[in-house]
Amino acid sequence: MEVNLQGRSLLTLLDYSSAEINYLLELAAKLKEKKHRGFQGDALKGKNIALLFEKTSTRTRVAFVVAARDEGGMPEFLGKNDLQLGDKESIKDTARVLGRLFDGIAYRGFDQKSVELLAEYSGVPVWNALTDQYHPTQVLADLFTIKEEFGHLEGIKFTYIGDGRNNMANSLLIGSAKMGLHFTLIAPEELWPESTILDQARGEAAKSGAKISLSTDLDAVHSTNVIYTDVWVSMGEEDKFAERVELLKPYQVNENLIRKAENDQLIFLHCLPSFHNRETIIGEKIYREYGLEAMEVTDKVFESRFSRVFEQAENRMHTIKAVMVASIGDLNAV
Ligand code: CP
Ligand code: NVA
């Protein structure tokens, strides 16, 4: 059956079939090639796109802006302090206003319920640009980067190490299960994914042939193709540094972990931003308080030949462009 995503929101990858995800990855590859050949397009010509961000962002924000502009769309950034949202106006009312003026809305915020409400009440496609529960546009870029590197997704051994309960872990688990990657989580049991997410992922894995395993043992990294980590403390939970440093210190991605994998061809991925040195205010604070030069990944690994983090960051733009073009764009203009 031919895939058609016109008019569809992207709130979580759970709502997308593996064929639909594949279609987005293929469209992203086409758009990436077009951009690298130096062509601007008009697949989003005349489309007004709202970028409603209640949390800070570098990559996601600029990816939406550049992707929209590259195809003739008109993005408008609306930060937390630019709107009445929350203080004077509800999500439902804001959704109904934005939906009358914009053709699509990207939303970054806290609860998944907010992005669901926006989609329900705006009447236009809404794209989840990160919530506490999910970060689906990031995982599209991650899958795209893995496919670029290895030529396929099925059967790839994927290891996520660190905070196994955050938006990235949830979305990578679902994305891997849907696309047939063998997903291993290495984390302390306190930070293993919630059972509802695990059950959903296991259901998807049964269809795709993916395997899912959870471990507290670093040796589970053996022979992996991909090592992925994320920050130990996500946006909105900044009071948790002390407990996370304590829990996750043994789960840092460092040279020892890379050696344990015994696979010279593996790649290291991270959604970014990353605390891999002391060149940030928080990085320096962590050093002073806990004596750590880096948190989730050492500078050596981050800067190593295994690292594909900046390819991954660029791919945010190509995959987000595919999501917008597929849902509100003119596919004949691609
Ligand atoms: N990876 C990611 O979402 O980065 P930003 O928070 O900078 O958008
Ligand atoms: N888990 C991180 C992802 C940032 C892209 C956070 O939510 O802060």
Side-chain angles (χ1 to χ4, degrees), residues 19-36:
E20 288 168 341
I21 294 171
N22 247 329
Y23 167 86
L24 287 173
L25 300 180
E26 278 167 20
L27 183 56
K30 241 184 182 171
L31 291 163
K32 181 171 181 175
E33 206 225 340
K34 178 176 171 187
K35 168 104 177 168
H36 283 191

Side-chain angles (χ1 to χ4, degrees), residues 23-44 63 66-72 140 144 148 314-334:
Y23 167 86
L24 287 173
L25 300 180
E26 278 167 20
L27 183 56
K30 241 184 182 171
L31 291 163
K32 181 171 181 175
E33 206 225 340
K34 178 176 171 187
K35 168 104 177 168
H36 283 191
R37 279 189 286 123
F39 288 103
Q40 297 256 311
D42 49 18
L44 294 170
V66 173
R69 287 197 191 135
D70 274 355
E71 290 294 335
L140 288 177
F144 186 86
E148 272 189 327
E314 178 191 328
N315 287 335
R316 296 299 309 285
M317 200 282 286
H318 306 298
T319 42
I320 279 174
K321 195 186 278 178
V323 169
M324 289 195 289
V325 169
S327 51
I328 64 167
D330 175 3
L331 286 156
N332 294 322
V334 172

Side-chain angles (χ1 to χ4, degrees), residues 48-154:
N48 282 294
I49 293 158
L51 310 178
L52 181 49
F53 278 51
E54 293 199 84
K55 288 176 177 168
T56 55
S57 167
T58 298
R59 277 145 292 275
T60 313
R61 173 181 175 169
V62 298
F64 270 102
V65 168
V66 173
R69 287 197 191 135
D70 274 355
E71 290 294 335
M74 292 164 287
E76 178 69 25
F77 182 77
L78 306 162
K80 183 167 176 45
N81 300 322
D82 301 328
L83 297 182
Q84 322 274 20
L85 182 66
D87 292 334
K88 283 173 66 183
E89 198 156 28
S90 66
I91 298 240
K92 279 189 201 172
D93 292 356
T94 307
R96 284 177 284 186
V97 174
L98 295 182
R100 282 175 181 249
L101 302 180
F102 288 94
D103 300 287
I105 303 168
Y107 174 76
R108 170 170 286 202
F110 295 86
D111 198 356
Q112 182 73 7
K113 186 80 199 148
S114 304
V115 79
E116 288 169 3
L117 278 174
L118 262 183
E120 187 182 344
Y121 284 89
S122 68
V124 297
V126 171
W127 310 296
N128 180 352
L130 180 148
T131 59
D132 291 345
Q133 288 80 17
Y134 298 113
H135 196 5
T137 65
Q138 175 69 53
V139 174
L140 288 177
D142 302 340
L143 293 170
F144 186 86
T145 308
I146 294 169
K147 204 170 168 192
E148 272 189 327
E149 183 76 30
F150 299 105
H152 64 101
L153 293 174
E154 265 176 41

